[in-house]
Amino acid sequence: YSMNATVEQLAPVEQQATTSWVVAALYQFKEVQNSLDLQQRLLDLVKTINLCGTLIVADEGINGTVAGDREAIDVIHQFLLNEGFQDMEYKESQSDEKPFRKMKIKHKKEIVTLGVEVKPRDLVGHYLDPKEWNDLIARDDVILVDTRNDYEYKAGTFKGAIDPKTETFREFPEYVKENLEQHKDKKIAMFCTGGIRCEKSTSLLLQEGFTEVYHLKGGILKYLEETPAEESMWEGECFVFDGRTAVTHGVEEGENIKCHACGWPLLPTEVELTSYEHGVSCVHCIEKTTEKQKAGFRMRQSQIAAAKRKRL
């Protein structure tokens, strides 16, 4: 068994109808003695409850977003607490629609893939709550870095934040080397969706000799939940990896929708463009795919529509 491989298993649970979905985003860096065994026990558990989403298990901890009815979320939450994940970064929101198609339990080498060895439990930046965060990023001697991917930045970000233009988190160490190396004496503030990337990015910077490194505790989701819109430094919406596409203040569902061909978030005005065809193309990807690929996407969309009609 290679630890670099992703072991992914689906839990074949028959989903019942749920009127309102509770969405729980969670993570914790914690040494797991037997992560494969934990994966198996989670698989056994989720077969018995009404849950969808993804959980990633590794020797370094757990990470994921799951959705279900109130009872199912309480069961999985209590299970993880009993497993010793008592210091989870944990937050809930609501979704009217089922936000994920299936329930997946993945086993990976890292719970968030940076590709560089860091020590997020030992070397950690300064955590800031939303109020402290506002005070810090309003200063002009702070470099504010969005550690998320380019398409997430496009949906929304903090005022004055730098876009590293990364397609994956694996590219972040290279960005640091090329763009931040000369600023080791400056205050560096970083943020991400739920906080997990920043556990690793702050650890990386401290390892590289940076001294003043800050991150937003609980990430953008916590900030949007706790910060009134009139006090907010956030602009736009926060991209999320579920059926809602993006959320805004109060963690309410936003206006962005996702292009199912390329994954980029789209504003209502971009959906009106002729380049947009549901599940086939949008302004960001229409030039990047061949006619043959588009024909394949159209076929996929017609199959999805047929499957939905059958369920109805």
Side-chain angles (χ1 to χ4, degrees):
Y1 167 70
S2 164
M3 273 298 288
N4 291 315
T6 298
V7 179
E8 177 180 324
Q9 294 194 37
L10 301 180
V13 58
E14 185 62 42
Q15 297 289 356
Q16 301 98 41
T18 296
T19 49
S20 176
W21 294 82
V22 182
V23 184
L26 59 95
Y27 76 84
Q28 186 182 336
F29 286 97
K30 174 189 179 300
E31 193 177 335
V32 179
Q33 294 300 333
N34 189 337
S35 50
L36 277 170
D37 176 61
L38 176 60
Q39 180 200 24
Q40 187 54 56
R41 287 185 292 112
L42 277 164
L43 271 167
D44 293 340
L45 173 69
V46 298
K47 285 174 191 169
T48 66
I49 54 178
N50 191 26
L51 211 64
C52 60
T54 301
L55 283 175
I56 298 168
V57 181
D59 292 351
E60 68 176 10
I62 195 159
N63 174 31
T65 305
V66 292
D69 52 35
R70 179 74 263 165
E71 186 186 358
I73 293 295
D74 288 344
V75 168
I76 192 86
H77 190 193
Q78 191 56 53
F79 174 88
L80 292 171
L81 290 172
N82 294 346
E83 288 294 319
F85 292 100
Q86 272 124 8
D87 295 319
M88 274 186 288
E89 187 61 52
Y90 180 90
K91 46 203 155 302
E92 292 185 356
S93 54
Q94 302 288 324
S95 177
D96 294 334
E97 303 278 322
K98 182 180 176 182
F100 304 100
R101 288 191 305 123
K102 297 173 181 170
M103 183 66 219
K104 300 175 187 174
I105 311 284
K106 299 181 178 183
H107 187 275
K108 287 188 173 186
K109 187 178 179 182
E110 300 178 69
I111 56 174
V112 59
T113 306
L114 182 64
V116 171
E117 191 85 21
V118 291
K119 295 175 180 159
R121 291 195 301 274
D122 306 323
L123 273 178
V124 185
H126 300 287
Y127 292 109
L128 298 178
D129 65 31
K131 174 76 174 72
E132 296 169 319
W133 179 257
N134 275 358
D135 293 344
L136 181 76
I137 68 172
R139 297 171 55 149
D140 54 15
D141 62 340
V142 173
I143 296 173
L144 180 61
V145 182
D146 191 332
T147 68
R148 301 169 307 151
N149 300 337
D150 47 10
Y151 53 89
E152 297 171 86
Y153 181 93
K154 189 253 178 190
T157 193
F158 281 104
K159 190 176 181 179
I162 295 167
D163 176 12
K165 297 183 169 60
T166 52
E167 289 184 16
T168 72
F169 194 38
R170 277 182 175 276
E171 296 171 17
F172 193 74
E174 193 62 32
Y175 168 79
V176 171
K177 205 171 285 181
E178 291 177 7
N179 299 276
L180 295 181
E181 197 68 30
Q182 66 274 35
H183 300 301
K184 286 189 175 173
D185 57 334
K186 293 269 177 70
K187 292 179 176 66
I188 312 285
M190 293 184 285
F191 63 92
C192 56
T193 309
I196 187 168
R197 283 186 176 212
C198 297
E199 303 278 4
K200 286 203 168 180
S201 63
T202 55
S203 195
L204 172 72
L205 263 65
L206 291 167
Q207 197 166 283
E208 294 295 319
F210 290 79
T211 52
E212 290 198 75
V213 184
Y214 302 85
H215 49 144
L216 177 57
K217 184 160 176 58
I220 304 158
L221 294 178
K222 194 76 173 166
Y223 182 92
L224 292 177
E225 183 188 323
E226 293 185 0
T227 310
E230 60 274 13
E231 292 171 24
S232 177
M233 307 271 282
W234 178 261
E235 297 177 332
E237 297 177 358
C238 176
F239 187 95
V240 288
F241 292 88
D242 60 51
R244 296 172 298 174
T245 304
V247 295
T248 185
H249 289 93
V251 201
E252 296 292 328
E253 194 161 342
E255 291 188 345
N256 276 270
I257 73 157
K258 193 178 296 174
C259 171
H260 291 289
C262 69
W264 274 73
L266 304 173
L267 289 165
T269 49
E270 292 174 313
V271 175
E272 298 300 320
L273 299 174
T274 54
S275 53
Y276 179 73
E277 186 180 343
H278 181 62
V280 177
S281 65
C282 73
V283 66
H284 300 287
C285 67
I286 191 163
E287 302 291 339
K288 295 177 183 175
T289 54
T290 64
E291 282 309 314
K292 189 177 177 184
Q293 286 172 310
K294 288 184 180 73
F297 294 155
R298 286 187 191 99
M299 176 71 77
R300 179 186 64 186
Q301 278 308 118
S302 65
Q303 288 167 345
I304 291 169
K308 272 187 181 168
R309 285 196 298 275
K310 198 181 271 187
R311 283 204 299 274
L312 294 171

